[in-house]
Amino acid sequence: MITAHIMPLTILLPLVGAYLILLVGSKYRLFARNAALAITGATFAMVCYITYLVSSHGKMSYYLGGWAPPLGIELRADPITAFLLLTFASVSFFVVLFAYDILPGEIKGKVVTRYYALYLVLLGSLLGIVLSNDFFNIYVFLEISSIAAAALVAVNGDKLAMEASIKYLVMSTLGSGTVLMGIAGLYMVTGYLNLDFLAGALPQAYANYPLTVSMTLGMLTVGIAVKAALFPLHVWLPDAHGSAPTSSSAILSGLVVKVYIAVLLKLLYRVFPLDFLAAMPLQGSLLVMATLGIFIGSIMAIRQRDIKKMLAYSTVAQIGYVFLGIGLFSEKAMVGAIYHVFSHAVMKSMLFLSAGLLIKYSGKRTIEDLSGLGRIYPIPMVAFSVGALSMVGIPPLAGFMSKWYLGWGALEANQLPFLLVLLVSSLLNGFYYLPIVIGGFFKPAAVAIKEEKIPLGAQISLLVLIAATFFFGLFSNIPVNFLTPTVQGIFNAFGGGI
Amino acid sequence: MSDIIVRVVTRLMIPYLQLYGLYIILYGHNSPGGGFAGGTVIASSLILYVLAFGIDDEDLRLSPSVARIIESCGALAYVGIGLGGILLGANFLSNKAAGFPLGIPGRVFSGGTIVLLTVSIGLKVASTMITLFVNIAEKEGEEES
């Protein structure tokens, strides 16, 4: 029974868990974190099972209510979605594990229960977006995720976070509204919401209504770009991710901005026909925005003195890499983009979590004040260093492999300048990450540091993330071999890319 | 707020508003309406009550903590009905395919699980609106004092 219904159950588990936590957790304060840990763990296990099923049986489809599309809502898992699901479920589990003892000290006691409920709603919506094969369903989950994410920023109720959260909510709602308009346009010209049926009907619709279809592509891309913080639509991100509590920053920067990229991937590679995309100025604008994002994100990050703000700007730059990989329209670059979604999720959540610990123990957020912490708190500082080196792209870490595939994709697409972009931006990454690493280990402590024991859950979580960064740098062939046939299939169907 | 006209009119209107909300919820499968619209109407009747009689009124039957419990239960009931489809051997949220009786079209008790689903949505929406309103109203009160 579980096998046949695994996809809806995986989305439902966190959502049901959220309401159970609200129901039971208001009486028993310790219930929330234990339940959240168990539920994210179970979700992770179920996602592993989905991945196993996809790798052994291929694509899976599920019709809600037994209604076949185009009438009903379809859930779909293929290797790319399974890989993304695995990324989301694993990172969110380790963030909860990290927060187990940390979170109650970081946010007000009475909102802890609600915090975990929101967190699980967010996780459920992320999984829902990735699994849905129906555009309106994707939109509903997009809305759930943006509201839950904005609430996770504002959970503490301090002024900065409130302001950032409102900004985030407004921008994100603008993005959703634009996406909704795009979906409405597609529905208007085709009469379908299911992605496969849309793909089948779009060539004819494009012949009849070229302007409407071009506009929908524009609206969908811009709407997604706002939510995914592609330059120059990133303005909400640094404040929101910089002022949120540690575990919120980790999941927002690591996962939430990525899920919109999953939607974009579905759009570009499953819905719109190739000749249409080639006729639109999409590739050029994606590549220009991505390149600008990479450079300006990095330069802004160099200027920051606040470590969380710096990490947030670094996310703007890293999102640029992913859009670069998508915009190159080549097989290797797309593998690189999907791989970077994963490796950046691991690295950035590790960086935010370890930075959160360092801030907690030093009591300061500025970069200079973090020096010398490596000697007293080796685990968070090593985690930060591994994440930083991986961001810069030092082999054999995971960040190197995603850049490797992106660079290979740039060569494959005959776009040599973008190889240079990758190289120069790695240098820029080094500029702002390495001083922290050097200062953390080799400089004397700048401020009086409390010596406390790091909670066990946080230690385990950081160690696992460090191990994952090494493992997926050394054995990148495992996920790449899992992804390549699907990506190849996409490009073969397109006649070898654009 | 001690305006006698507002109080009397509110007292007269609330039963009809709530009845109308229930009607919209229960006829969601037969006519325009449904859980969301009906739930909003019911919630608006309670919001009207709070506006007329003040938030600390002792006759307010729906306390915020009860509203929160109803809210969670409404969402869980929806999922539970959906899971019923799976337990009966069909897909999630299955209706006729899982063997729920459809009844005679046009009656209140027809359409299989859809009535139950709209009722649980109605509960959820009504209690959520109440919770939101009360939360915001209490927040403002705190800042004033």
Side-chain angles (χ1 to χ4, degrees), chain A residues 86-433:
Chain A
L86 211 53
T87 308
F88 293 150
S90 57
V91 172
S92 55
F93 171 67
F94 286 112
V95 171
V96 172
L97 180 65
F98 176 90
Y100 190 79
D101 284 315
I102 307 277
L103 191 72
E106 202 176 4
I107 65 177
K108 288 175 197 153
K110 59 177 182 184
V111 288
V112 169
T113 306
R114 277 183 246 170
Y115 183 89
Y116 279 117
L118 277 169
Y119 188 95
L120 289 177
V121 167
L122 182 64
L123 174 62
S125 70
L126 296 181
L127 301 178
I129 292 170
V130 176
L131 277 174
S132 293
N133 200 34
D134 179 279
F135 229 138
F136 198 75
N137 213 28
I138 290 178
Y139 169 74
V140 172
F141 280 123
L142 277 182
E143 281 290 357
I144 299 176
S145 75
S146 46
I147 291 170
L152 283 182
V153 174
V155 69
N156 244 348
D158 56 296
K159 247 189 189 150
L160 267 179
M162 279 295 198
E163 190 192 325
S165 166
I166 289 172
K167 205 188 212 179
Y168 181 23
L169 198 61
V170 170
M171 289 299 280
S172 180
T173 310
L174 273 178
S176 321
T178 320
V179 169
L180 183 63
M181 287 295 165
I183 296 172
L186 282 181
Y187 184 66
M188 199 169 76
V189 295
T190 62
Y192 292 121
L193 287 169
N194 185 285
L195 297 187
D196 296 329
F197 283 85
L198 269 177
L202 261 182
Q204 183 59 42
Y206 181 51
N208 292 342
Y209 311 100
L211 196 62
T212 315
V213 178
S214 330
M215 265 174 62
T216 57
L217 176 70
M219 286 181 156
L220 290 168
T221 320
V222 170
I224 291 167
V226 173
K227 294 172 88 74
L230 176 64
F231 179 86
L233 305 168
H234 67 283
V235 286
W236 54 268
L237 186 142
D239 291 340
H241 293 190
S243 58
T246 305
S247 41
S248 299
S249 303
I251 189 170
L252 291 177
S253 230
L255 304 181
V256 176
V257 289
K258 308 295 174 41
V259 77
Y260 308 117
I261 287 162
V263 181
L264 189 68
L265 280 174
K266 285 185 190 202
L267 261 185
L268 296 186
Y269 292 99
R270 296 224 349 243
V271 176
F272 284 102
L274 159 83
D275 48 347
F276 168 66
L277 288 179
M280 290 289 121
L282 178 75
Q283 187 184 17
S285 40
L286 272 186
L287 289 177
V288 170
M289 294 304 169
T291 310
L292 284 175
I294 292 172
F295 283 133
I296 293 176
S298 302
I299 291 166
M300 290 302 285
I302 293 174
R303 291 186 45 202
Q304 299 305 315
R305 302 266 54 88
D306 178 329
I307 186 163
K308 283 186 81 170
K309 271 267 170 77
M310 186 204 88
L311 290 175
Y313 272 108
S314 157
T315 299
V316 175
Q318 302 292 323
I319 284 295
Y321 286 125
V322 179
F323 275 98
L324 185 72
I326 294 171
L328 282 169
F329 281 103
S330 87
E331 196 187 305
K332 287 285 181 277
M334 186 168 161
V335 170
I338 301 172
Y339 198 72
H340 197 59
V341 168
F342 166 74
S343 56
H344 179 253
V346 172
M347 299 183 289
K348 191 44 73 64
S349 51
M350 180 162 76
L351 284 168
F352 263 118
L353 296 179
S354 49
L357 272 188
L358 296 175
I359 291 170
K360 178 175 149 75
Y361 292 130
S362 67
K364 292 278 164 56
R365 290 170 65 112
T366 42
I367 287 168
E368 286 78 12
D369 291 330
L370 296 179
S371 47
L373 274 167
R375 278 174 247 172
I376 304 164
Y377 293 111
I379 290 179
M381 204 64 212
V382 167
F384 192 92
S385 312
V386 170
L389 294 176
S390 182
M391 283 285 179
V392 178
I394 309 278
L397 300 166
F400 168 72
M401 287 321 291
S402 44
K403 282 189 186 168
W404 171 267
Y405 280 103
L406 287 173
W408 193 351
L411 287 176
E412 201 180 60
N414 258 332
Q415 302 266 26
L416 276 179
F418 294 104
L419 198 61
L420 203 66
V421 169
L422 286 173
L423 290 174
V424 175
S425 71
S426 296
L427 198 67
L428 290 176
N429 287 349
F431 268 128
Y432 57 89
Y433 276 122

Side-chain angles (χ1 to χ4, degrees), chain B residues 1 12 19 21 24 35 40 46 51 66 70 76 78 84 89 94 108 115 119 124 130 133:
Chain B
M1 209 184 289
L12 281 174
L19 194 65
I24 290 183
T40 320
L46 288 166
L51 286 177
V66 175
I70 296 177
L76 290 175
Y78 189 100
S94 285
V108 178
V115 189
V119 169
K124 161 91 180 123
I130 290 290
F133 179 78

